[in-house]
Amino acid sequence: MLTSAVDGAPRRRPDPAPKKTATELGALGTALGALASVILAGALALVLHTLGQQSPRLGPAFEGWAASVTNSPFAAVRWFLGDMTEPLFYKSELAAGGLLAGALLAWWAGRRGKNWAGQLTYGTGLWPWVLASASLSLLLSNVVFGRMLDAGWQPTFVPFVCVAPAMVLMYGPGWPTCLTGAVLGAFTITPCALVLIPTVTAPLGLPPVAANVLAMSLGSVVAFLIARKLPWLVLRKPAPQPALNPQPQPVQPPSGLNRVLKDAVWASRRVLSDFTETQFFANELASAGMILGVAVAFVLNPALPAYGSNLVPHILFAQALTSAIGVVLWRSWFRNGQFSNGGWAATYASLVSVAPAAVLAYDGSCWSIIGGALLGAVLAPPIARAISARLPDGFHPVIGNTASMAISTAVTLPILGLLPH
């Protein structure tokens, strides 16, 4: 028995992959759409770099933010909101506001059947519960472990993007699932990250992101082991499957130009939605809102987002590049641009780990951007697919996805360190 790569619900083992047909994603259209996304990201990065140099430096900077959380409710609220976008290395309340506004718009439009809204949380209709459980888990992490922030930055954000939302997708909506996922996430992932950073990644010279994503993977294993023993949690029923030997249906293949355009649009939307895949939103509007929010935050004060590194433009470009490369390389895993029958690939994995970590580790050098994006796109999705395919029932593929982030980061950064910067 296999599990879906997006919601973890049980699935029948698919039939052998059919030969390529005219309705599958084509190389030309996918490449054009991915290229367009990279060009737009590059243009945005150049604009932000220029505007950042003329920034009025309004508002607080990142330095001193963590230490102020324990004695300032305003700083604590800002930190909580910033945690929602820290998985992408942004850490900004404006980015979080854009994320939530975009997702809310997508939810509103999707409820009214607007196709331009795209899918939200894989079209499950569970976004409100995903957000509720993830936010409660994040709140618990901040309340319990936030007292340690007076000593400096701590990974309080980690439960927002793993156990809690995955638990909702696997066990369905409702307060028992919501609260269980929130508690298990906060008390497995955050402590694990707090232990791994000083004991594993720091001695190896790896950035904290490697410990964070490894904690997400290991903590998720523990959480789902516990969940299997809880009587009030019942796995969602598998989605209806097509017949084993369906009769071929006559399909009018699209013309060459129409097919290229369709594939290009899909690829560009796929790259954009990768920016919010880690929050389990996977939606273009949510991604656009978040990117707009971090762009505004950077222009107002470059010393705030991305840990005050002034590298937001570099990170955004590297993230779009790694997603675009991954979408083109692994396009055959997206069957006709759909999530059904396992048609999905973890092209977002490098976007939230290898690519931004490389930019920060090597101060935004050309090699760090290109090398991190390329190696991350090559390594992370197939590793995630290999691990997730071997998980037993009741374990969400987030375990494989986050494990692939840890492995890819640990492999890529030392390689990039051998290159001139």
Side-chain angles (χ1 to χ4, degrees), residues 8-41:
R11 295 287 188 269
R12 173 181 59 81
R13 183 175 296 277
D15 297 329
K19 294 183 179 180
K20 189 168 179 138
T21 66
T23 59
E24 293 179 352
L25 294 168
L28 178 59
T30 305
L32 288 175
L35 178 61
S37 299
V38 172
I39 292 174
L40 288 174

Short mmCIF file of all heavy atoms in Angstrom, two decimals, residues 8-41:
data_model
loop_
_atom_site.label_atom_id
_atom_site.label_comp_id
_atom_site.label_asym_id
_atom_site.label_seq_id
_atom_site.Cartn_x
_atom_site.Cartn_y
_atom_site.Cartn_z
N GLY A 8 -1.14 12.03 2.41
CA GLY A 8 -0.79 10.88 3.23
C GLY A 8 -1.88 9.83 3.35
O GLY A 8 -1.68 8.83 4.03
N ALA A 9 -3.04 10.05 2.73
CA ALA A 9 -4.10 9.05 2.81
C ALA A 9 -3.71 7.81 2.02
O ALA A 9 -2.97 7.89 1.05
CB ALA A 9 -5.41 9.64 2.26
N PRO A 10 -4.18 6.63 2.44
CA PRO A 10 -3.79 5.40 1.75
C PRO A 10 -4.21 5.43 0.29
O PRO A 10 -5.25 5.97 -0.08
CB PRO A 10 -4.55 4.32 2.52
CG PRO A 10 -4.84 4.91 3.85
CD PRO A 10 -5.04 6.37 3.61
N ARG A 11 -3.41 4.84 -0.53
CA ARG A 11 -3.67 4.76 -1.97
C ARG A 11 -3.34 3.36 -2.47
O ARG A 11 -2.43 2.70 -1.98
CB ARG A 11 -2.81 5.76 -2.75
CG ARG A 11 -3.12 7.22 -2.44
CD ARG A 11 -4.46 7.62 -3.06
NE ARG A 11 -4.69 9.05 -2.93
CZ ARG A 11 -5.30 9.63 -1.92
NH1 ARG A 11 -5.74 8.89 -0.91
NH2 ARG A 11 -5.48 10.93 -1.88
N ARG A 12 -4.10 2.89 -3.49
CA ARG A 12 -3.76 1.66 -4.16
C ARG A 12 -2.46 1.86 -4.93
O ARG A 12 -2.21 2.92 -5.48
CB ARG A 12 -4.89 1.29 -5.13
CG ARG A 12 -4.56 0.10 -6.02
CD ARG A 12 -5.72 -0.19 -6.97
NE ARG A 12 -6.02 0.95 -7.82
CZ ARG A 12 -5.35 1.26 -8.92
NH1 ARG A 12 -4.30 0.53 -9.29
NH2 ARG A 12 -5.69 2.30 -9.64
N ARG A 13 -1.61 0.82 -4.96
CA ARG A 13 -0.38 0.92 -5.73
C ARG A 13 -0.72 1.16 -7.19
O ARG A 13 -1.48 0.40 -7.79
CB ARG A 13 0.44 -0.37 -5.59
CG ARG A 13 1.79 -0.32 -6.29
CD ARG A 13 2.57 -1.58 -6.01
NE ARG A 13 2.89 -1.70 -4.60
CZ ARG A 13 3.92 -1.10 -4.04
NH1 ARG A 13 4.72 -0.34 -4.75
NH2 ARG A 13 4.16 -1.24 -2.74
N PRO A 14 -0.19 2.22 -7.80
CA PRO A 14 -0.57 2.55 -9.17
C PRO A 14 -0.05 1.52 -10.16
O PRO A 14 0.91 0.80 -9.91
CB PRO A 14 0.10 3.91 -9.40
CG PRO A 14 1.26 3.91 -8.45
CD PRO A 14 0.80 3.13 -7.25
N ASP A 15 -0.73 1.45 -11.28
CA ASP A 15 -0.28 0.60 -12.36
C ASP A 15 1.02 1.13 -12.93
O ASP A 15 1.37 2.30 -12.73
CB ASP A 15 -1.34 0.57 -13.48
CG ASP A 15 -2.64 -0.02 -12.98
OD1 ASP A 15 -2.58 -0.90 -12.09
OD2 ASP A 15 -3.71 0.39 -13.48
N PRO A 16 1.77 0.29 -13.66
CA PRO A 16 3.00 0.79 -14.29
C PRO A 16 2.72 2.02 -15.13
O PRO A 16 1.67 2.14 -15.75
CB PRO A 16 3.46 -0.40 -15.15
CG PRO A 16 2.86 -1.60 -14.49
CD PRO A 16 1.54 -1.13 -13.92
N ALA A 17 3.68 2.95 -15.12
CA ALA A 17 3.50 4.21 -15.82
C ALA A 17 3.25 3.96 -17.30
O ALA A 17 3.98 3.20 -17.95
CB ALA A 17 4.73 5.09 -15.65
N PRO A 18 2.21 4.58 -17.87
CA PRO A 18 1.95 4.40 -19.30
C PRO A 18 2.97 5.15 -20.13
O PRO A 18 3.68 6.01 -19.64
CB PRO A 18 0.55 5.01 -19.47
CG PRO A 18 0.47 6.03 -18.38
CD PRO A 18 1.26 5.47 -17.23
N LYS A 19 3.01 4.80 -21.38
CA LYS A 19 3.89 5.52 -22.28
C LYS A 19 3.42 6.96 -22.42
O LYS A 19 2.24 7.27 -22.26
CB LYS A 19 3.91 4.85 -23.66
CG LYS A 19 4.54 3.46 -23.63
CD LYS A 19 4.60 2.87 -25.03
CE LYS A 19 5.26 1.49 -25.01
NZ LYS A 19 5.33 0.89 -26.35
N LYS A 20 4.35 7.82 -22.72
CA LYS A 20 4.06 9.25 -22.82
C LYS A 20 2.99 9.51 -23.85
O LYS A 20 3.00 8.96 -24.94
CB LYS A 20 5.33 10.01 -23.18
CG LYS A 20 5.16 11.49 -23.09
CD LYS A 20 6.51 12.18 -23.16
CE LYS A 20 6.30 13.66 -23.09
NZ LYS A 20 7.22 14.34 -22.27
N THR A 21 2.03 10.32 -23.49
CA THR A 21 0.95 10.68 -24.40
C THR A 21 0.95 12.18 -24.61
O THR A 21 1.67 12.92 -23.95
CB THR A 21 -0.42 10.26 -23.82
OG1 THR A 21 -0.67 11.04 -22.65
CG2 THR A 21 -0.42 8.78 -23.44
N ALA A 22 0.07 12.62 -25.50
CA ALA A 22 0.05 14.03 -25.85
C ALA A 22 -0.46 14.90 -24.72
O ALA A 22 -0.30 16.11 -24.75
CB ALA A 22 -0.83 14.24 -27.10
N THR A 23 -1.13 14.29 -23.70
CA THR A 23 -1.69 15.10 -22.63
C THR A 23 -0.70 15.29 -21.48
O THR A 23 -1.01 16.01 -20.55
CB THR A 23 -2.97 14.44 -22.09
OG1 THR A 23 -2.66 13.13 -21.62
CG2 THR A 23 -4.02 14.34 -23.18
N GLU A 24 0.46 14.63 -21.52
CA GLU A 24 1.42 14.80 -20.45
C GLU A 24 2.22 16.08 -20.64
O GLU A 24 2.23 16.67 -21.70
CB GLU A 24 2.34 13.58 -20.39
CG GLU A 24 1.60 12.31 -19.98
CD GLU A 24 2.51 11.10 -19.94
OE1 GLU A 24 3.67 11.22 -20.37
OE2 GLU A 24 2.05 10.04 -19.49
N LEU A 25 2.90 16.47 -19.57
CA LEU A 25 3.66 17.72 -19.61
C LEU A 25 4.81 17.60 -20.59
O LEU A 25 5.59 16.66 -20.54
CB LEU A 25 4.20 18.03 -18.21
CG LEU A 25 3.14 18.34 -17.15
CD1 LEU A 25 3.76 18.34 -15.77
CD2 LEU A 25 2.47 19.67 -17.43
N GLY A 26 4.90 18.56 -21.48
CA GLY A 26 5.96 18.57 -22.47
C GLY A 26 7.17 19.34 -21.99
O GLY A 26 7.06 20.26 -21.18
N ALA A 27 8.33 18.97 -22.51
CA ALA A 27 9.57 19.60 -22.07
C ALA A 27 9.62 21.07 -22.46
O ALA A 27 10.05 21.92 -21.66
CB ALA A 27 10.77 18.85 -22.67
N LEU A 28 9.20 21.40 -23.67
CA LEU A 28 9.31 22.78 -24.15
C LEU A 28 8.44 23.72 -23.33
O LEU A 28 8.92 24.75 -22.83
CB LEU A 28 8.94 22.85 -25.62
CG LEU A 28 8.96 24.26 -26.25
CD1 LEU A 28 10.34 24.88 -26.13
CD2 LEU A 28 8.50 24.20 -27.71
N GLY A 29 7.17 23.40 -23.20
CA GLY A 29 6.27 24.28 -22.46
C GLY A 29 6.66 24.41 -21.00
O GLY A 29 6.64 25.51 -20.44
N THR A 30 7.03 23.29 -20.38
CA THR A 30 7.44 23.33 -18.98
C THR A 30 8.68 24.20 -18.80
O THR A 30 8.77 25.00 -17.87
CB THR A 30 7.72 21.91 -18.47
OG1 THR A 30 6.58 21.08 -18.71
CG2 THR A 30 8.02 21.91 -16.98
N ALA A 31 9.64 24.04 -19.71
CA ALA A 31 10.87 24.83 -19.63
C ALA A 31 10.59 26.32 -19.83
O ALA A 31 11.17 27.17 -19.13
CB ALA A 31 11.87 24.34 -20.66
N LEU A 32 9.70 26.65 -20.75
CA LEU A 32 9.37 28.06 -21.00
C LEU A 32 8.69 28.68 -19.78
O LEU A 32 8.99 29.82 -19.40
CB LEU A 32 8.48 28.19 -22.23
CG LEU A 32 9.15 27.94 -23.58
CD1 LEU A 32 8.13 27.99 -24.71
CD2 LEU A 32 10.27 28.96 -23.82
N GLY A 33 7.76 27.96 -19.18
CA GLY A 33 7.10 28.47 -17.98
C GLY A 33 8.05 28.64 -16.83
O GLY A 33 8.00 29.64 -16.09
N ALA A 34 8.94 27.66 -16.65
CA ALA A 34 9.94 27.76 -15.58
C ALA A 34 10.89 28.92 -15.83
O ALA A 34 11.24 29.67 -14.91
CB ALA A 34 10.71 26.45 -15.48
N LEU A 35 11.30 29.08 -17.09
CA LEU A 35 12.20 30.19 -17.43
C LEU A 35 11.54 31.53 -17.17
O LEU A 35 12.18 32.46 -16.65
CB LEU A 35 12.62 30.07 -18.89
CG LEU A 35 13.53 31.19 -19.43
CD1 LEU A 35 14.84 31.23 -18.65
CD2 LEU A 35 13.78 31.01 -20.92
N ALA A 36 10.27 31.65 -17.52
CA ALA A 36 9.55 32.90 -17.27
C ALA A 36 9.52 33.22 -15.78
O ALA A 36 9.68 34.38 -15.38
CB ALA A 36 8.13 32.79 -17.83
N SER A 37 9.34 32.19 -14.95
CA SER A 37 9.32 32.41 -13.50
C SER A 37 10.67 32.91 -13.01
O SER A 37 10.74 33.80 -12.16
CB SER A 37 8.96 31.10 -12.79
OG SER A 37 7.67 30.65 -13.16
N VAL A 38 11.75 32.33 -13.54
CA VAL A 38 13.09 32.74 -13.13
C VAL A 38 13.37 34.18 -13.57
O VAL A 38 13.96 34.97 -12.82
CB VAL A 38 14.14 31.78 -13.71
CG1 VAL A 38 15.55 32.29 -13.45
CG2 VAL A 38 13.97 30.39 -13.11
N ILE A 39 12.94 34.53 -14.79
CA ILE A 39 13.15 35.90 -15.28
C ILE A 39 12.41 36.90 -14.41
O ILE A 39 12.95 37.95 -14.03
CB ILE A 39 12.71 36.00 -16.75
CG1 ILE A 39 13.66 35.19 -17.64
CG2 ILE A 39 12.68 37.45 -17.20
CD1 ILE A 39 13.21 35.11 -19.08
N LEU A 40 11.15 36.59 -14.08
CA LEU A 40 10.38 37.49 -13.22
C LEU A 40 11.01 37.61 -11.83
O LEU A 40 11.08 38.71 -11.26
CB LEU A 40 8.94 36.98 -13.10
CG LEU A 40 8.07 37.14 -14.35
CD1 LEU A 40 6.71 36.46 -14.14
CD2 LEU A 40 7.88 38.61 -14.70
N ALA A 41 11.48 36.48 -11.30
CA ALA A 41 12.13 36.52 -9.98
C ALA A 41 13.42 37.33 -10.05
O ALA A 41 13.75 38.08 -9.12
CB ALA A 41 12.43 35.10 -9.50
#
